């Protein structure tokens, strides 16, 4: 049986690949004069025709929640607050 | 007895961890294992020695083994750690076993190999080890045609530098443009033009089928979907893969990228074991999605954090906003966080602000155009990414923008930022401010402001 971490890695690699290929095509449409070439990747119809369009329709806020709930985001990290005017703080004493 | 710290790996992360640990806790016994003969050199400079922009490989060395020994480190050169037992707290090497109390894993990366026939032929070169690069550089003198596989940052640097050296270079990738995994096509375009001026023939959107041998085990050509390309050598510049076999076999948890999972203190899933550099994954500052394969400066900073914490301090490393930059041909490009391509792929909503300025007073000799593209979150207009191309000042702007984005700066902040005006070093109007002002004007016109 595949280990859970391995399944997650393969899922991430596959979804990233197809989402990136779709983004290449979107960018080629947006910048038609940029001299790019059609990418030459082999593709699987399920991921390109089902997964990518469905993913694109889900709002970013929902995607974020799903990623967090499914353990696709990092744990054990405290991002600094992104509020303008928040002063820099020295590291906490030992 | 003093506490024993073992560091596995002698790259930027490993050497940083070892030196900082010794500095923080001078009584600690710090032992560093590396499989290589050399230490403390800049592998990132290798393409530029091949391109003869740097005179010799010796210039890439920053320090010596003796210097680290003088600083109190126990340096085990050319010593590969073959087994790691985290229950017994031992490392094995050359038939010996040695104990440790704390461990930093900084085993770096290995290059992805092409999964096509002929990938084991002689004549396929991977850029990593400086001694191999020195030998390879001598062979380059007798070579005329090179194929570079992989439009990664290293691929762009190798293609540009070999072109600069006078070789006929063919640059092959399945992707649609150079650096497509990080760069947008409008920013890639001037890089393509600059590479072509250096004699590089671009083969993007081209599938690699096979490496063809000469009958004596050496590559003579590359078979692609666009035909066969004769060559004397192939430079393979695919992805960096985390060198995590030792750690994973010992039971250290590996994440969704294949890198070792760490928290903000660089602690792994195993107490008393830290990790840093290309072998780990860290969260992206905006999405918190783990990423890996960052720059040497990231590896060094992570190594410092790991080393200090292993020595008893309490340091945290922030999620990353990844400022990056490089010279493609003669053209400087850079950015931070997301470009349009990556934001579109991930599904992050954004608005774009674009502008063009000059790097110094327009009448001052050497002034170059600086093209700025900013990405901001709709609504709040907080910066979430940028791409910049031009000549001088790209790197500093990308560093600055990454920092301001991390602190929540908006298009409004950048539009009305103060800037230096001094004809030899800075123009009256800052290009980043021009881009932000343009973006705000467009949003106002569209009724979104």
């Amino acid at each position: 049986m595949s280990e859970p971490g391995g399944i997650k890695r393969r899922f991430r690699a596959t979804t990233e690949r197809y989402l990136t290929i779709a983004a290449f095509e979107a960018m080629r449409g947006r910048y038609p004069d940029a001299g790019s070439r059609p990418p030459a990747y082999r593709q699987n119809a399920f991921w390109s025709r089902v997964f990518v369009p469905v993913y694109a329709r889900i709002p970013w806020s929902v995607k974020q929640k799903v990623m967090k709930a499914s353990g696709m985001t990092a744990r054990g990290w405290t991002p600094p607050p992104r509020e303008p005017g928040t002063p820099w703080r020295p590291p906490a004493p030992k | 007895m003093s506490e024993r710290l073992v560091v596995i790996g002698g790259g930027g992360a490993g050497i940083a961890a070892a030196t900082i640990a010794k500095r923080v806790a001078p009584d600690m016994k710090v032992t560093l294992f590396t499989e290589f003969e050399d230490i403390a050199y800049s592998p990132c400079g290798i393409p530029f020695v091949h391109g003869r922009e740097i005179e010799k490989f010796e210039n890439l060395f920053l320090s010596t083994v003796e210097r680290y020994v003088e600083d109190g480190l126990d340096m085990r050169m050319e010593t590969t750690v073959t087994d790691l037992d985290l229950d017994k707290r031992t490392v094995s090497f050359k038939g010996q076993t040695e104990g440790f109390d704390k461990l930093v894993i900084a085993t770096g990366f290995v290059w992805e190999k092409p999964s096509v026939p002929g990938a084991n032929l002689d004549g396929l070169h991977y850029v990593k080890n400086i001694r191999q690069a020195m030998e390879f550089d001598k062979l380059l003198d007798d070579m005329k045609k090179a194929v570079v596989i992989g439009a990664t940052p290293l691929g762009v640097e190798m293609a540009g530098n070999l072109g600069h050296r006078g070789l006929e270079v063919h640059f092959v990738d399945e992707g649609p443009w150079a650096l497509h995994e990080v760069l947008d096509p409008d920013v890639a375009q001037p890089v393509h033009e600059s590479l072509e001026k250096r004699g590089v023939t671009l083969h993007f959107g081209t599938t690699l089928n096979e490496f063809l041998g000469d009958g004596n085990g050496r590559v003579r050509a590359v078979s692609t979907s666009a035909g066969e390309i004769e060559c004397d050598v192939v430079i393979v510049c695919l992805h960096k893969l985390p060198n995590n076999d030792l750690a994973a076999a010992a039971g250290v948890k590996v994440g969704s990228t294949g890198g070792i999972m760490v928290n903000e203190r660089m602690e792994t899933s195993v107490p008393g074991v830290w990790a840093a550099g290309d072998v780990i994954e860290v969260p992206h500052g905006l999405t918190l999605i783990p990423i890996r394969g960052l720059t040497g400066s990231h590896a060094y900073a992570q190594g410092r954090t790991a080393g200090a914490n292993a020595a008893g301090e309490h340091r945290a490393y922030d999620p990353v906003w990844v400022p990056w930059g490089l010279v493609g041909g003669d053209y400087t490009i850079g950015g931070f966080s997301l470009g349009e391509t990556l934001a579109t792929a991930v599904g992050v909503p954004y608005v774009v602000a674009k502008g063009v300025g000059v790097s110094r007073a327009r009448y001052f000799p050497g002034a170059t155009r600086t093209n700025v593209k900013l990405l901001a979150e709709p609504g709040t207009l907080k910066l979430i990414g940028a791409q910049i191309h031009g000549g001088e000042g790209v790197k500093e702007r990308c560093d600055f923008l990454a920092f301001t984005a991390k602190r929540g700066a908006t298009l409004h902040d950048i539009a009305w930022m103060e800037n230096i005006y001094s004809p030899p070093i800075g123009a009256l109007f800052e290009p980043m401010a021009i881009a932000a002002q343009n973006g705000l004007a467009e949003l106002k016109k569209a009724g979104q402001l």
Side-chain angles (χ1 to χ4, degrees):
Chain A
M1 200 175 102
S2 299
E3 44 125 2
I7 293 168
K8 200 180 274 189
R9 277 197 291 284
R10 279 195 296 279
F11 177 76
R12 177 171 170 174
T14 305
T15 54
E16 272 184 2
R17 174 185 170 84
Y18 284 93
L19 291 169
T20 307
I21 292 170
F24 291 155
E25 285 310 307
M27 288 300 116
R28 279 170 44 75
R30 194 171 301 168
Y31 298 103
D33 302 324
S36 60
R37 304 262 309 155
Y41 304 105
R42 290 182 191 96
Q43 297 194 52
N44 172 295
F46 168 77
W47 294 102
S48 56
R49 293 187 196 155
V50 179
F51 174 80
V52 170
V54 169
Y55 182 88
R57 284 190 177 84
I58 300 170
W60 173 237
S61 56
V62 177
K63 285 182 186 127
Q64 280 183 301
K65 282 178 191 154
V66 172
M67 284 179 195
K68 190 172 178 188
S70 60
M72 294 303 280
T73 54
R75 289 173 188 174
W77 292 75
T78 316
R82 294 185 66 215
E83 295 303 328
T86 303
W88 179 83
R89 294 159 302 163
K94 278 194 278 183
Chain B
M1 195 173 114
S2 61
E3 219 172 18
R4 300 162 301 172
L5 170 67
V6 161
V7 177
I8 308 175
I15 202 72
T19 51
I20 293 299
K22 189 69 185 173
R23 203 173 297 166
V24 169
D27 292 337
M28 191 176 230
K29 182 178 188 301
V30 180
T31 304
L32 185 146
F33 289 88
T34 173
E35 62 189 284
F36 298 108
E37 310 93 322
D38 303 299
I39 201 150
Y41 66 86
S42 169
C44 303
I46 290 172
F48 302 93
V49 186
H50 289 319
R52 296 186 167 149
E53 296 205 40
I54 297 171
E55 186 191 349
K56 53 188 181 192
F57 286 99
E58 286 72 14
N59 292 359
L60 303 185
F61 284 92
L62 309 168
S63 192
T64 61
V65 177
E66 292 72 26
R67 172 73 198 281
Y68 291 113
V69 172
E70 281 169 21
D71 286 346
L73 300 185
D74 175 13
M75 302 293 287
R76 307 292 181 86
M77 308 303 294
E78 297 181 73
T79 307
T80 303
V81 173
T82 50
D83 190 48
L84 183 56
D85 189 325
L86 294 177
D87 293 325
K88 293 180 185 165
R89 301 259 146 181
T90 57
V91 288
S92 301
F93 53 93
K94 294 181 175 173
Q96 302 171 51
T97 297
E98 212 166 281
F100 61 82
D101 301 301
K102 294 175 174 179
L103 175 71
V104 174
I105 301 168
T107 42
F109 70 94
V110 290
W111 286 116
E112 177 189 4
K113 294 193 171 174
S115 52
V116 297
N120 290 324
L121 288 169
D122 287 341
L124 269 65
H125 181 73
Y126 294 82
V127 181
K128 188 174 182 189
N129 179 287
I130 197 164
R131 300 244 175 164
Q132 287 171 6
M134 287 172 173
E135 293 305 311
F136 177 65
D137 197 73
K138 293 175 196 160
L139 302 176
L140 272 175
D141 286 336
D142 298 321
M143 293 179 181
K144 291 185 171 58
K145 287 180 77 168
V147 172
V148 177
I149 303 287
T152 56
L154 178 67
V156 168
E157 288 179 344
M158 283 302 292
N161 276 291
L162 294 181
H164 188 252
R165 186 171 171 140
L167 272 79
E168 179 184 328
V169 181
H170 293 264
F171 195 13
V172 176
D173 195 289
E174 285 182 308
W177 58 82
L179 297 161
H180 48 268
E181 289 175 2
V182 290
L183 199 64
D184 294 337
D186 54 325
V187 186
Q189 189 178 15
V191 176
H192 293 176
E193 290 165 7
S194 187
L195 288 173
E196 284 171 332
K197 275 186 196 159
R198 284 190 168 200
V200 178
T201 305
L202 306 178
H203 303 268
F204 296 140
T206 301
T207 306
L208 170 67
N209 293 330
E210 185 178 0
F211 297 106
L212 304 171
D214 64 358
N216 294 312
R218 186 173 174 85
V219 70
R220 67 161 179 83
V222 177
S223 167
T224 76
S225 57
E228 202 173 295
I229 306 169
E230 297 273 324
C231 62
D232 299 313
V233 66
V234 175
I235 318 289
V236 182
C237 304
L238 299 177
H239 299 97
K240 290 199 276 187
L241 306 177
N243 184 15
N244 64 13
D245 289 351
L246 192 66
V252 177
K253 271 192 186 167
V254 168
S256 63
T257 68
I260 294 174
M261 293 169 79
V262 293
N263 64 15
E264 62 191 3
R265 299 187 68 220
M266 301 289 122
E267 292 168 313
T268 69
S269 57
V270 180
V273 179
W274 289 258
D278 282 318
V279 74
I280 68 166
E281 59 180 34
V282 293
H284 185 276
L286 179 71
T287 64
L288 293 185
I289 296 171
I291 56 175
R292 62 168 178 79
L294 305 177
T295 70
S297 66
H298 288 94
Y300 197 81
Q302 292 161 5
R304 288 173 64 95
T305 306
N309 289 334
E313 285 205 342
H314 190 104
R315 292 194 194 176
Y317 183 81
D318 284 339
V320 290
W321 286 82
V322 206
W324 62 273
L326 61 97
V327 177
D330 297 305
Y331 206 73
T332 309
I333 51 173
F336 83 93
S337 183
L338 307 173
E340 286 186 86
T341 311
L342 203 47
T344 302
V346 181
V348 176
Y350 61 90
V351 294
V352 174
K354 286 184 184 180
V356 185
V358 278
S359 61
R360 47 177 96 171
R362 62 179 166 72
Y363 53 79
F364 205 92
T368 56
R369 284 162 70 89
T370 304
N371 302 265
V372 177
K373 172 161 65 174
L374 305 173
L375 274 68
E377 194 173 79
T380 67
L381 299 186
K382 285 181 184 176
L383 290 180
I384 58 170
Q387 301 214 329
I388 303 182
H389 59 110
E392 59 194 1
V394 169
K395 173 249 187 294
E396 291 80 3
R397 287 184 174 89
C398 295
D399 285 344
F400 166 81
L401 287 170
F403 181 76
T404 58
K406 179 169 156 179
R407 296 293 166 189
T410 66
L411 283 185
H412 294 287
D413 293 321
I414 302 300
W416 312 115
M417 64 181 277
E418 295 178 82
N419 65 283
I420 294 168
Y421 172 51
S422 174
I425 56 171
L428 187 59
F429 300 111
E430 163 53 43
M432 293 181 291
I434 294 171
Q437 289 172 24
N438 289 349
L440 291 173
E442 289 292 322
L443 288 169
K444 197 169 181 183
K445 206 190 304 178
Q448 295 176 30
L449 197 64

